[in-house]
Amino acid sequence: MLPREVANIFRVTVRTLRNWERKGVLVPVRLPSGHKRYRREEVEALLGACSFRKGPLQG
């Protein structure tokens, strides 16, 4: 999934995704071109683990 798509799902900015990447919350796959993509399964798992009232880093 594209970073912008994932950001829209979680209602956060792409910059927040980068912060999550640094913290190991949601790690993208790097394509040979250097672009990032997120695995749908990982996005869905994180989505199931957190509510929309609390972000995944807020416990």
Side-chain angles (χ1 to χ4, degrees):
M1 298 180 74
L2 296 170
R4 186 174 304 208
E5 293 173 322
V6 177
N8 286 336
I9 289 170
F10 287 102
R11 298 181 182 148
V12 298
T13 64
V14 173
R15 183 174 189 124
T16 297
L17 288 181
R18 280 187 239 132
N19 290 336
W20 291 356
E21 178 183 351
R22 269 195 346 231
K23 294 179 181 183
V25 174
L26 191 60
V27 180
V29 174
R30 289 255 184 201
L31 301 179
S33 63
H35 294 212
K36 297 177 185 180
R37 296 295 183 269
Y38 292 89
R39 289 187 175 96
R40 183 174 304 276
E41 298 81 19
E42 291 182 16
V43 171
E44 290 173 352
L46 183 60
L47 191 58
C50 66
S51 70
F52 286 110
R53 293 183 190 169
K54 289 185 178 180
L57 302 177
Q58 295 175 348

